[in-house]
Amino acid sequence: MFYVKEQLNDAMEVSVEINDENVYCRCPKCGCEVQVDLAEVFADGDIDLFSTAVLCSSCTEKMMGGKHFGCEQV
């Protein structure tokens, strides 16, 4: 199990399991929240969380010249 951990203050720490339903990012073009399937994003084997960005379906559609994709914004 992978999880994220954050120290909120001296007395409180929170940890959350990472799974296929709770990973999100912000679209680098418009800033909307996008749900991310890490297995799909890193399927090619190139894993770099720092420099990886995921576009929302609307921005992907615009970038691809109006072609519709099945992804949905969250």
Side-chain angles (χ1 to χ4, degrees):
M1 168 181 73
F2 289 95
Y3 61 94
V4 294
K5 181 168 71 170
E6 183 70 30
Q7 188 77 35
L8 299 177
N9 57 43
D10 289 341
M12 186 179 287
E13 179 178 274
V14 66
S15 64
V16 177
E17 178 182 351
I18 297 171
N19 61 49
D20 61 348
E21 296 177 352
N22 70 356
V23 177
Y24 296 84
C25 72
R26 294 273 175 202
C27 175
K29 298 283 186 185
C30 71
C32 76
E33 187 176 73
V34 179
Q35 188 170 15
V36 177
D37 179 349
L38 290 177
E40 184 178 320
V41 171
F42 298 127
D44 66 358
D46 188 17
I47 301 171
D48 181 3
L49 286 174
F50 183 74
S51 66
T52 299
V54 178
L55 295 170
C56 70
S57 60
S58 178
C59 289
T60 299
E61 212 172 300
K62 290 175 192 169
M63 190 175 88
M64 301 300 287
K67 295 178 184 173
H68 180 69
F69 293 88
C71 302
E72 291 185 28
Q73 290 178 213
V74 174

